[in-house]
């Protein structure tokens, strides 16, 4: 099993929670090299670099619509705010192995579900003539405990985010589709691009997913990780149309609601795909792959 | 005001939540350079490098005793786990601006309060003869919303963690005290070392803090950030005695409960101290400082 092999080879460290791993030195180094390759791929565009901690303003999260579509994946931050009496009750619950969450009300923040979410609120207002382009990378949280090492509860995503008019966005996504494929080629991955949909919640979710596919709003680059038959998305390209523009009041220079799109590279997933494809001895990966990673 | 200056100079980005900031390109670059300097300072020791996402197994967190001493700083992760009916209730609450936390029970994870917390459970059992040494770095969460830019709710801490017998630990802390001072000298900071205590919760907290001081278990290197009169801790050295050894069953080669200690570098705080000391034009920082940072 690929998950156990990763642990046995000292690449991932178990934490006792499904889908939460420590990264040992070499695996972290591989992730950082993939991250630098993604940075280099987009460097000529001169994006504004922003780095956010992996938490998000709760009010912005509510406005984003994430809870409508993906409530099952969201994570919120709760914290103790009582005095000594409730502290004693809290400690008693911990000691007796009971649930202690009642003493931790919600805070002003939630965990970041995708690296681009903190960016949209910063774009509110009138965009410059050419729109905006932001390079962002952070740990993201998805509450989907799984034995599949490619489905981690926290993982890093490096994204480029574009806000502009619809036709600029469409052209920009075409450029990144080609770039994304060239990254996977440089890494020697057996990757292909396909029309995809998001994992919308509930019975109505299938309709939303079908509509997303029909409109071609999401493409994924997939590559084998835990299985050859069911390859995993390692890069995704997403057109949000005017969703975030509406939600956060982002307008193009002529006053119209801006369109947005993002391309996201799953850093751990790309690293995992490298180990799955080229095996565990990084010193023996093909020379062009080692070169692309600066090894 | 230093906080506003940092935003005006385009180093930090506001998020609308007190103590939560985006990092713009230059500030992030400064943090990364400080991180590399910390890595280089400890490199000769050959520590095991581990990197954890900023979440921690809830069971390990309970065992750590953090909730006894610092309940007011802890952050727990809650997530939705209902079906369509509760989803509709959740969305109605969001729409009506009501608290929606009742639909999000506790998950198996909490936010990491200090970079070293995920390390101790991995050390359980018998240590090798020379003990263990781990290099760890991650975002950490502390629920203390503040206008002071040096008191962020999420920030990065780079730590070296040592587990061994008591006298090995004491000698190791002396080595790192000297190293920590040499780092602040290389960075041209107006820093000094002092005996310190942790912000223990409640009325009993003062007694615990006094005991910690009397035993000299915590030292801090402080430097001016937002105020010259009240300098801020940028590095701390902590002796835990047998606290984590007991909690996680870490034993030295002769079977005794291991002692542990850690030295933690607050990466954002060191970066902030650099801007406070040498001002906002990084190109004009003193040559020895620029050299130490590889600028």
């Amino acid at each position: 099993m690929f998950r156990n092999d990763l642990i046995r080879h000292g690449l991932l460290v178990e934490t006792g929670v499904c889908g939460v791993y420590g990264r040992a030195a070499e695996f972290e180094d591989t992730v950082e090299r993939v991250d630098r390759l993604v940075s280099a791929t987009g460097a000529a565009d001169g994006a504004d670099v922003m780095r956010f901690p992996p938490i998000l303003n709760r009010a912005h999260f509510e406005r984003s619509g994430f809870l409508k579509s993906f409530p099952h994946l969201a994570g919120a931050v709760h914290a103790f705010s009582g005095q000594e009496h409730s502290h004693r009750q809290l400690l008693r619950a911990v000691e007796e192995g009971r649930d202690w969450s009642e003493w931790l009300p919600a805070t002003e923040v939630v965990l970041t579900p995708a690296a681009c979410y903190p960016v949209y609120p910063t774009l509110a207002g009138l965009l410059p003539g050419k729109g905006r382009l932001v390079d962002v990378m952070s740990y993201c949280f998805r509450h989907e405990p799984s034995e599949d090492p490619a489905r981690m509860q926290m993982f890093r995503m490096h994204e480029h985010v574009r806000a502009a008019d619809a036709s600029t966005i469409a052209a920009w996504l075409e450029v990144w589709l080609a770039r994304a494929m060239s990254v996977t080629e440089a890494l020697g991955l057996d990757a292909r691009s396909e029309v995809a949909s998001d994992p919308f919640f509930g019975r109505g979710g299938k309709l939303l997913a079908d509509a997303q596919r029909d409109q071609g709003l999401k493409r994924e680059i997939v590559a084998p990780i835990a299985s050859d038959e069911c390859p995993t998305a390692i890069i995704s390209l997403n057109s949000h149309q005017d969703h975030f523009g509406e939600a956060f009041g982002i307008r193009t220079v002529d006053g119209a609601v801006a369109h947005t799109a993002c391309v996201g590279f799953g850093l751990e997933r790309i690293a995992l795909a490298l180990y799955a494809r080229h095996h565990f001895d990084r010193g023996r990966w093909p020379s062009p792959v080692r070169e692309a990673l600066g090894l």
Side-chain angles (χ1 to χ4, degrees), chain A residues 20 91 124 144 179 222 274 278:
Chain A
V20 181
L91 291 183
E144 42 180 355
R179 285 177 178 172
V222 300
L274 283 164
H278 306 304

Side-chain angles (χ1 to χ4, degrees), chain A residues 7 30 33 49 53 67 85 105 131 136 146 154 241 248 253-254 276:
Chain A
I7 292 161
T30 302
R33 288 171 189 276
V49 173
L67 283 169
H85 178 66
V136 75
S146 165
M154 280 198 99
Q241 298 179 305
F248 295 103
V253 75
D254 58 3

Side-chain angles (χ1 to χ4, degrees), chain A residues 179-199:
Chain A
R179 285 177 178 172
M181 287 307 294
S182 78
V183 166
T184 63
E185 271 159 41
L187 296 177
L189 298 177
D190 184 18
R192 63 165 195 270
S193 140
E194 50 186 43
V195 174
S197 63
D198 284 309

Side-chain angles (χ1 to χ4, degrees), chain A residues 114-136:
Chain A
C116 57
Y117 273 67
V119 172
Y120 305 111
T122 73
L123 304 179
L126 227 50
L127 295 173
K130 293 183 171 176
R132 284 288 295 276
L133 175 64
V134 179
D135 172 318
V136 75

